[in-house]
Each structure stands twice: as structure tokens, then as C-alpha cells.
Amino acid sequence: MSSQIDNLLTENRRFAPSADFAAAAVAGPDLYERAQEDREGFWAAQSRELLHWQEPFTQVLDWSTPPFAKWFADGELNIAYNCLDRHVEAGNGDRVALLWEGEPGDERRVTYAELTEEVKRLANVLTELGIGEGDRVALYLPMIPEAIASMLAVARIGAIHSVVFGGFSADSLRSRIDDAGAKLVITADGGWRKGKVSPLKPAVDQALSDRGDGVQSTVEHVLVVRRGENDVAWTEGRDLWWHDVVPAASPEHEARAFPAENPLFILYTSGTTGKPKGILHTSGGYLTQAAYTHRNVFDLKPETDVYWCTADIGWITGHSYVAYGPLANGATQVLYEGTPEHPEPGRWWDIIEKYGVTIFYTAPTAIRGFMKQGRVIPQARDLSSLRVLGSVGEPINPEAWVWYRDVIGAGTTPIVDTWWQTETGAIMISALPGVTETKPGSAQVALPGISIDVVDEQGSHVGAGGGGLLVITEPWPSMLRGIWGDPERYKETYWDKFGSQGWYFAGDGARLDEDGDIWLLGRVDDVMNVSGHRLSTAEIESSLVAHEATAEAAVVGASDETTGQAVVAFVILKESYLKQHGPDGLAQQLRGWVGEQIGPIARPRDVYIVGELPKTRSGKIMRRLLRDVAEGREVGDTTTLADTAVMSVISAQVR
Ligand code: 6R9
């Protein structure tokens, strides 16, 4: 990694904001000063300015029982009212909230007034189905307006949503439904992906089916949106069509105020162990920071901008920058159902041209994919409406950054490389357009109000040019409030490492350059980042060993030109299986197996069948060495291995 770091740190291209952009920018340098002077007062002011509080708060941060923070705890608000009703009441009901486009090319424009009404009807339906404050509702939906409406309706009645990405398997869905104890699932028959309908309802049926252990699912009802028009099985009494019940429900619904710390959602993400963590977010602090960052980092002018974030609502980026941030700010945004390459590789650029998108937020993996296809495709479209470009999900290499700015941004748009996590809830490190001189490859500086440091293993601040671990040194409004049902895991994972200092450990390596700018270097734990999606090595390993042929498995994330990292698995087969079946075609089978068990994003790029795995004397698999093999490098230091010859055997088997 050190050569990579040195490369990055010699990057010396700089892009100063243009005078015109700076003059009209939402954010100014004064934000840093104000936050510096009085951090809590700054957040209180942001919250009062950006949100409507039905019961104004008098307390800002309560950090009396770390690591459990409370923000604005004595205030009360309604999240959906903040995202919808108040814009209508302010006379902006006719403003388009969603410029929706389905993959086959169908379109819907949904105004704030229409979305508000739909959410009110749905809130009434949910109440009739017995969903109340604190109940969990799982959402398993394509990118359609009903998905956004569902999140908001659940929030409106003080219940908790758990969105499960539509690409996850029935098993993954089941474990998330069970962990949260969901009472209701909202899904669709199917959604469009890559030119055909990809069914969703069958996975829900499977997730809720009796698994033979006699344990009854907590789910009482399944609400189904018709989208794909594919045939679906129906369980009478349990399943309901959206179009039967939502339009028939009353459009009157009063948004009750809930305490600021009322849970808003659970979102599962991969950790270092096999079991995904249910990251818990609450209301007032989360919405404050989602709205604040969305406005300042993207320079949002809600009256004129057309904003588009390409993330799926199954990820945190879709929560904070498709659902909550943009709607709280009254933005007009594009929502697109399908894949970027359908029916041909220029689809995204067509959408930008068609709707006149001004602010565009996507992931480095997509940008690298487009780079590969060449600049001719985007250059055949008129992208001149774009004025701010954002990146999220993984480090963006300087070449991709510069390509993004030159080819998509006409060599003029500011680029904001935004670092944050499911756990942080909202953007933490980013340039501010119109304020910051940008630097390709560096996420740069903590946002005003956020306190970040890079420290060594002992917790000492590293100086200019130093590398270490990224920590967050002060609580922030949209921080996670815990892991659903597992407070101990919450403490251990994030707060034990720098417990005496009370710092949050992010799990990312980072380096500071001469100017104090931050360069993110990827995860320091066993979490992989594939196309900006977090996957745990342990989760994929346990899926592999669940296959009848597998005795043992080790998974690493190997660097990959397009996806950032790719999943590479090393597998030892069972003797008994080998004797009966032989190894032919097994690597392929195992790839498919993981895809079915967890979801296609987890499918390994390569599966190598090997005779042994490199282990330390205490039996720990040395993934570092396997990564060397997977990346085609010379194998590093093997002296701590129990059997130092094992790596040459593995290297020979892989070649
Ligand atoms: C928002 C999101 C979080 C992990 C994080 C880090 C990586 C995200 C990044 C970035 C470098 C950026 N990451 N943004 N690394 N530069 N701009 O992606 O959340 O899915 O929880 O992933 O992604 O490693 O720790 P999540």
C-alpha cells in the first residue's frame, strides 16, 4: 500500500473555485468559523434553520452516557412533515419532488402536493394494519416513487423502517426481517433491471415461509405494489395489493410530533463478523445533518436545481441523499429505476440531458466503468446543465476524478468527494463547492461542525505526511445510536479501540498531507468494498462453508480496476466430496452459490480451489498473503506462518 500512498501524495493538480461560483455559493468560509467558535451552538442553529420543530428543543447534545448520544432530546418533530407538508404549506405544492423514470422508459412526475397526499393515505393504511410507534416495517422495493412514499409514511407514524436492497436474496431478507422483528413487509411484484422484470415478491414469500423449525415469522401483512406485472403467488389474509388499499384510504392525516430521539430506521450493513449489523438512526439529529450536508455540500438551490443521486434506497446513500436530505430541503430530483447500461451505455447521460440535471452524485466504480467505455458516449450528449458533481462509496483515484471533471463536468464543475458511512448517517468529510480548492483523490477536510483526526495505533495525532487511522473525536448529530438489539457489539466495534479518549473508530486507514488534507486509504478491517458496497469477508466465508463441498474458505478483497475491490475466495474441498464428485465445475458452482445465498453483489470474481490455507501458529488465516496472490504480487513476509512452505504451494495452485 505504501507505493500507492506515495503516488497519491505526489498528486499536485489543484482546482480553485471560480469567482462566479463562489459568489453565488450556498456555503461560505464563515461556516468553518462559526462552527469553530461554538460547535453545539452551530448545530442548534442549523437545526432550527433547516427543520420545523413542533416542540422546540432547549438541549443540544447530551453526552452524559457515552457512547450513547442524544441530540436535541427535549424537542419534538415529525420527519415526514418536514420532508413534505411544510413545503406544500409554504406554497410549493406544485414543485416536482420526483422526476421518476422507469427502466423501460415510462415516466412519472410527482409533485410535493401529490407525494404528501400519497404518504398521508399510506400512513392511514399502516395504522389500519396495526402498525404504530416503534413497530418495524421492512421495505423490499425497486426504485419507484412508492419506495420513497413508504419510507416517509413509516416515519410519519413514528414506526421504524428497515430497507433491504432488492438485490439481496430471500435468505438475507429473512435474517433482516427476523432480526428486526418486522410486522409488515412492503414489496412489489417485481421491478425492471437490465431489460427484464426481476421478481421481488417470490423472495418475500420464501423469506416468510415456514423453515421447518416451527418458529413463526413476526410478519403479519405484506403490502405489494404492482410494478413488474409478473405473476405472483398470493397468501389470502396476509397479502394486500397497494392499489386496492392506498387509493381507498383517507387523504387526511395529521403529522403527530415525536421526540427527537425517536428511532427512524435500521439499516443493515456488513461488519467484520458474519452477521450483518442493524445500524440504528434516530430522527432530529439525523435529519438535521442530512439536510445541512445536502444543502451545503451540493450547493443546493431548491428553486432551480435538478438533483440526481444514483444510489439505491437499499443503501445509506439512498436514505440520506435520495429520501431524507433532498426532500427536507424541498429539492426536485430524478429517481431512476434501472441499470446504467440499459438499453445502451449512454442511458445515464440521456437522463441528465433530458431532465437538465444540475447536481449529480454517484460512485467511483460507476465512473471507472464509464471511463472504460470511453468519452465518446457521454460526449454525444448535452451535459452542460451540470454544475456540481459528487462522489461517494470508496476512494476515487485521481485519474477517475480528473476524467469525471473533464468529461462529465466540462472541465469546470467542482467535484465533491464525500467520505462517510452507514454509521455516520451523513457526509462527514468533503470539500465545499465554491469554498474549497479541490484536490483530485483527496476527500480533503471535515465539514464545519465535524471533528476528525488521523491517529496512530496509540492514539497520537499523526503529523503532515503521516498515515494512520481515521477517528471522529466529537459526537455528531446524525451518528448511529447503536446496533439494533446489541449494545455490546456497538461499544466493542466503534468505541473500544480508542475508549479512553472517547473517539469513534471508523475502520478506515487515512493519511494527512502537507496541507492537512485527508486521503482515505480503504478499510483496515476485514470489510471489503466492492463497487462501493460493503461486504464482509466472514459473511462470504460462512456462505462458502455452508456448501456441501467446502471444508474451509478464506475470502479477500483484491484490487480491481472497475469495482475497486473484487471478492476472491480460496477454498479447501472436503475429501469425501472430492472422492465422489471431483472438482470439475465446482469453482463456478460456488460462485453461483454465494450469489444465491447473499446476493449477486457478493458473488466472488474468482474461486481458487487450494489444498491448504496460510495460518499463523494461533490458527489465524493470514489474508494479507492471500491478497498478494489474488493481486498477482510477490508474496510478502511469511515468517509468522505455522508452515512457511504453504504459500508457494498455493501460488502454484492458483497459476
Ligand atoms: C456512504 C457509504 C462506508 C465505507 C467507509 C469507507 C468507504 C465511503 C468514501 C469511502 C473513501 C470516500 N467510503 N465514501 N472511502 N472515500 N469518499 O459508502 O457508506 O456503505 O457504510 O460504506 O465506504 O471505507 O468506511 P457505507
Side-chain angles (χ1 to χ4, degrees):
M1 194 180 258
S2 70
S3 68
Q4 179 205 340
I5 298 172
D6 293 342
N7 258 333
L8 285 175
L9 291 181
T10 54
E11 169 61 57
N12 51 22
R13 286 169 284 193
R14 301 287 180 271
F15 300 93
S18 79
D20 285 354
F21 195 106
V26 168
D30 60 301
L31 279 182
Y32 294 101
E33 287 151 31
R34 281 163 52 203
Q36 189 75 34
E37 248 160 52
D38 173 10
R39 210 179 70 89
E40 289 182 26
F42 173 80
W43 282 118
Q46 289 299 332
S47 189
R48 291 187 182 113
E49 187 188 328
L50 293 164
L51 305 185
H52 173 81
W53 290 85
Q54 271 154 279
E55 182 64 47
F57 57 86
T58 62
Q59 304 159 5
V60 182
L61 168 65
D62 175 355
W63 192 232
S64 55
T65 49
F68 299 95
K70 292 190 187 119
W71 282 86
F72 315 121
D74 63 345
E76 291 188 355
L77 80 173
N78 185 288
I79 294 289
Y81 177 84
N82 271 281
C83 292
L84 298 168
D85 313 45
R86 68 167 166 147
H87 303 314
V88 180
E89 289 169 14
N92 293 321
D94 291 338
R95 185 182 296 167
V96 174
L98 305 174
L99 289 161
W100 178 76
E101 180 156 315
E103 200 190 64
D106 45 341
E107 292 168 27
R108 276 163 68 188
R109 279 168 197 253
V110 186
T111 64
Y112 273 94
E114 289 164 344
L115 190 59
T116 304
E117 189 184 311
E118 181 89 340
V119 167
K120 287 180 174 178
R121 288 184 198 272
L122 181 57
N124 285 321
V125 170
L126 297 181
T127 307
E128 274 162 40
L129 291 175
I131 307 298
E133 193 175 342
D135 285 337
R136 276 80 60 206
V137 177
L139 311 185
Y140 188 63
L141 285 159
M143 288 291 280
I144 52 178
E146 287 82 355
I148 308 292
S150 297
M151 294 169 82
L152 289 164
V154 171
R156 188 175 187 93
I157 61 170
I160 306 171
H161 58 70
S162 164
V163 183
V164 180
F165 175 54
F168 276 129
S169 67
D171 275 356
S172 299
L173 175 61
R174 180 194 297 234
S175 67
R176 285 159 173 77
I177 288 173
D178 288 355
D179 187 74
K183 271 172 88 171
L184 171 73
V185 180
I186 307 181
T187 189
D189 46 3
W192 285 86
R193 278 190 71 76
K194 299 188 182 166
K196 52 180 199 296
V197 172
S198 166
L200 290 165
K201 172 83 167 37
V204 176
D205 293 334
Q206 202 185 325
L208 302 184
S209 67
D210 181 9
R211 76 198 91 183
D213 56 8
V215 181
Q216 184 82 29
S217 169
T218 48
V219 172
E220 293 165 8
H221 291 284
V222 179
L223 184 59
V224 189
V225 181
R226 186 147 70 200
R227 165 64 188 151
E229 308 203 354
N230 46 313
D231 286 337
V232 290
W234 208 251
T235 303
E236 282 309 327
R238 186 197 71 181
D239 298 350
L240 300 155
W241 281 113
W242 176 294
H243 58 255
D244 283 341
V245 292
V246 178
S250 161
E252 304 297 329
H253 185 275
E254 200 178 327
R256 208 190 110 189
F258 292 97
E261 284 297 336
N262 207 44
L264 176 59
F265 65 85
I266 304 168
L267 183 61
Y268 288 85
T269 187
S270 297
T272 49
T273 70
K275 192 174 176 274
K277 304 175 279 200
I279 302 300
L280 177 68
H281 282 286
T282 60
S283 303
Y286 171 79
L287 198 64
T288 297
Q289 199 175 328
Y292 158 79
T293 50
H294 181 256
R295 188 173 125 82
N296 289 289
V297 172
F298 299 111
D299 192 49
L300 180 80
K301 318 246 166 62
E303 300 79 19
T304 48
D305 274 315
V306 177
Y307 164 86
W308 184 22
C309 166
T310 63
D312 190 280
I313 52 151
W315 313 111
I316 190 68
T317 306
H319 281 62
S320 305
Y321 300 106
V322 177
Y324 292 110
L327 295 177
N329 289 334
T332 294
Q333 68 175 321
V334 169
L335 188 71
Y336 170 58
E337 178 187 34
T339 45
E341 58 282 334
H342 193 81
E344 42 101 30
R347 183 66 184 269
W348 278 11
W349 318 127
D350 285 338
I351 292 176
I352 290 176
E353 177 177 309
K354 176 169 164 189
Y355 297 101
V357 172
T358 57
I359 305 170
F360 182 60
Y361 190 31
T362 194
T365 184
I367 299 164
R368 287 192 299 266
F370 295 128
M371 265 174 94
K372 249 201 219 160
Q373 294 161 357
R375 56 179 66 205
V376 175
I377 299 170
Q379 279 174 348
R381 275 83 180 180
D382 179 3
L383 305 180
S384 60
S385 54
L386 290 170
R387 61 177 202 91
V388 179
L389 299 176
S391 172
V392 60
E394 52 178 318
I396 177 165
N397 45 305
E399 286 328 301
W401 194 105
V402 168
W403 187 91
Y404 195 26
R405 187 174 190 276
D406 282 350
V407 179
I408 308 305
T412 57
T413 55
I415 296 206
V416 286
D417 174 7
T418 62
W419 179 90
W420 59 295
Q421 309 177 298
T422 304
E423 292 86 342
T424 70
I427 299 170
M428 303 292 279
I429 304 175
S430 171
L432 288 178
V435 179
T436 318
E437 180 181 70
T438 54
K439 217 180 247 187
S442 167
Q444 301 194 282
V445 286
L447 288 181
I450 300 297
S451 308
I452 298 239
D453 203 354
V454 180
V455 300
D456 63 19
E457 282 285 338
Q458 284 68 48
S460 306
H461 172 79
V462 306
L469 304 169
L470 191 77
V471 292
I472 307 171
T473 56
E474 298 284 352
W476 63 103
S478 65
M479 67 193 286
L480 75 167
R481 299 301 197 263
I483 293 176
W484 183 255
D486 203 345
E488 277 314 307
R489 191 174 175 197
Y490 168 64
K491 288 190 210 158
E492 273 162 35
T493 311
Y494 306 106
W495 302 95
D496 271 7
K497 188 155 179 91
F498 296 109
S500 52
Q501 296 93 332
W503 297 340
Y504 170 91
F505 170 56
D508 277 41
R511 195 148 175 180
L512 287 178
D513 70 13
E514 306 296 319
D515 307 323
D517 280 333
I518 302 165
W519 296 74
L520 276 311
L521 302 172
R523 304 286 306 185
V524 295
D525 52 17
D526 291 331
V527 174
M528 295 171 290
N529 191 325
V530 179
S531 298
H533 301 319
R534 268 163 73 172
L535 296 167
S536 98
T537 53
E539 194 179 358
I540 299 176
E541 283 164 6
S542 68
S543 156
L544 284 165
V545 295
H547 189 278
E548 55 169 348
T550 312
E552 220 183 324
V555 165
V556 298
S559 60
D560 183 282
E561 234 183 83
T562 309
T563 58
Q565 282 189 310
V567 180
V568 176
F570 296 83
V571 173
I572 304 179
L573 299 179
K574 285 181 188 146
E575 288 292 336
S576 54
Y577 184 92
L578 268 179
K579 269 192 206 126
Q580 281 196 356
H581 307 275
D584 289 352
L586 200 59
Q588 197 55 26
Q589 247 187 62
L590 287 170
R591 292 180 65 237
W593 167 263
V594 174
E596 271 163 40
Q597 285 228 312
I598 303 176
I601 46 164
R603 190 187 293 134
R605 183 189 70 190
D606 307 304
V607 172
Y608 295 119
I609 310 241
V610 295
E612 267 178 278
L613 291 171
K615 288 186 185 159
T616 61
R617 285 171 202 101
S618 63
K620 264 197 162 126
I621 295 176
M622 291 192 67
R623 291 196 180 74
R624 166 173 69 78
L625 300 176
L626 293 173
R627 206 171 301 128
D628 289 340
V629 174
E631 294 178 349
R633 249 195 320 275
E634 193 161 329
V635 174
D637 184 3
T638 57
T639 48
T640 55
L641 283 179
D643 171 4
T644 49
V646 70
M647 283 317 297
S648 31
V649 178
I650 292 175
S651 300
Q653 281 167 328
V654 163
R655 254 176 234 124

